[in-house]
Amino acid sequence: MNPESAADGGRVVALVPAAGRGVRLGQSTPKAFVQVGGTSMLRRAVDGLVESGVVDDVVVMVPDEFVGATAELLPPGVRIVVGGAERIDSVRAGITASPDADIYLVHDAARALTPPALIARIVAELRCGRAAVVPALEVADTIKSVDIMGGVTGTPKRAELRAIQTPQGFDAALLRRAYESAGPGDAATDDAGLVERLGERVRTIPGEPLAFKITTPLDLLLADAVVGARES
Ligand code: C5P
């Protein structure tokens, strides 16, 4: 999209995993293709990345049978790659497809309303020399760990907990190394987790409530209401 950038501090490639089946949303369409305010989540997520003005290339990972439909949904220039069985497999496919990246952003399609300013803040931190940066929000609920029978095994201090969002930003060599050390189908739920396993420091910056992940029917209602309120 922007061939100039390699000269001014490195090429930023956004990887958008959108190959999930999304059963928790209660719809037959894969989650990323469900509409929010008349536009698919995937299109909204990609538009946010483009509007941030800090992304050079966007690579989306989708289920193989959705490659054709995705090309019709997205602006020209966005690359479309077949995703994998688990989120980690989808991100790995995106990394393999973009070996020229200097910085990777990994951004869930399901965080469709993420403000472009948050995306720009993550890239600004990476450009200042940080190697791994993620958006984080304080948690309102008390979080407990439980065993398989539902018995409580612990109550971590709430003040030390954060809910982590995307985009997660990484020095490209570091993210490649993290994925090389992870097995196929690894159960990691985010990319920063793989980097932490290498012993590397991951920094947080303040996240944005609007970067919430649209996962349940209630989330979808909220997202529709946000878009409706913006447009009225
Ligand atoms: O399932 P979950 O909400 O954690 O998925 C987060 C993101 O990862 C979604 O955007 C989903 O489409 C994507 N994903 C993927 N490939 C999978 C599973 C999930 O790209 N196999």
Side-chain angles (χ1 to χ4, degrees), residues 87-113:
R87 183 185 181 282
I88 192 171
D89 305 314
S90 299
V91 175
R92 193 193 299 276
I95 291 172
T96 305
S98 52
D100 59 340
D102 298 294
I103 286 174
Y104 285 116
L105 293 179
V106 187
H107 187 40
D108 288 337
R111 297 186 189 270
L113 303 184

Side-chain angles (χ1 to χ4, degrees), residues 115-195:
L118 175 62
I119 299 163
R121 279 198 282 127
I122 293 283
V123 171
E125 292 286 329
L126 292 159
R127 296 248 189 245
C128 286
R130 303 215 188 283
V133 183
V134 301
L137 286 183
E138 291 182 7
V139 293
D141 294 318
T142 295
I143 310 284
K144 293 187 189 290
S145 56
V146 294
D147 60 25
I148 54 163
M149 302 303 290
V152 170
T153 55
T155 308
K157 282 186 198 153
R158 189 170 61 184
E160 292 177 4
L161 297 176
R162 296 290 180 273
I164 301 301
Q165 305 178 314
T166 73
Q168 299 191 350
F170 305 95
D171 168 74
L174 176 60
L175 190 66
R176 287 188 201 108
R177 193 151 62 84
Y179 269 80
E180 277 160 21
S181 70
D186 192 301
T189 54
D190 79 339
D191 304 282
L194 296 177
V195 168

Side-chain angles (χ1 to χ4, degrees), residues 1-12 54-57 102 127:
M1 277 180 198
N2 177 5
E4 304 291 306
S5 68
D8 62 23
R11 193 159 195 82
V12 179
V54 295
V55 172
D56 300 301
D57 283 307
D102 298 294
R127 296 248 189 245

Side-chain angles (χ1 to χ4, degrees), residues 17-20 24 31 61 84-87 90 108-110 213 215:
R24 286 171 292 175
K31 181 160 78 172
M61 290 75 81
E86 302 292 335
R87 183 185 181 282
S90 299
D108 288 337
K213 184 161 71 169
T215 304

